[in-house]
Amino acid sequence: MTAGFGFERLHHVQLDMPAGAEELCRAFWAGVLGMTEIEKPPVLAARGGCWFRGGGVEVHLGVVADFTPSARAHPGILVNGLDGLAARLAAHGHRVVRDGNLPGYRRFHCTDGLGNRLEFLEPEPVG
């Protein structure tokens, strides 16, 4: 705890999306990754976008007028079964770029159906 407060965990990550791309988001986040779409509160649902949850991860996709996916910004999502996830993404036509530059982790990057950069990582086995 620092200065009277402490961090607990990340509640969600917000990614941008263009208007009308909800079905592309559903195809990737629910269809490919197997996350569950969660209902947005009505006042927020009127803005468009969609939210997903899987395991301890929650991803919110929100509409922006001039959508451009970031070349560098990304969520880093800790997984188990990294190779199985890579195979599933590749089988659905998503390019998987492996990166061994983070000591203690195996990881790769890919993009969702909108070009948002994603990092998936798994701790290296101990021993």
Side-chain angles (χ1 to χ4, degrees):
M1 192 145 118
T2 302
F5 70 91
F7 295 108
E8 295 293 324
R9 65 179 181 82
L10 186 64
H11 180 271
H12 70 274
V13 62
Q14 170 97 15
L15 298 174
D16 292 342
M17 63 176 274
E22 286 83 359
E23 288 308 313
L24 283 172
C25 293
R26 289 180 180 108
F28 181 79
W29 293 98
V32 176
L33 295 184
M35 295 178 107
T36 300
E37 185 169 2
I38 55 177
E39 189 174 343
K40 292 178 68 173
V43 68
L44 298 177
R47 300 177 187 172
C50 40
W51 295 358
F52 300 91
R53 182 182 296 138
V57 176
E58 195 166 305
V59 177
H60 297 181
L61 290 118
V63 174
V64 295
D66 297 318
F67 171 75
T68 303
S70 173
R72 300 291 300 161
H74 63 274
I77 301 172
L78 199 58
V79 301
N80 59 44
L82 187 73
D83 294 330
L85 175 58
R88 181 163 177 83
L89 287 162
H92 283 86
H94 295 275
R95 185 171 168 246
V96 171
V97 179
R98 296 204 180 255
D99 179 347
N101 294 324
L102 183 61
Y105 292 90
R106 298 174 55 241
R107 70 179 183 165
F108 66 80
H109 292 89
C110 72
T111 59
D112 65 7
L114 303 172
N116 288 313
R117 187 173 189 232
L118 308 171
E119 177 181 340
F120 295 98
L121 60 161
E122 179 175 49
E124 288 278 3
V126 178

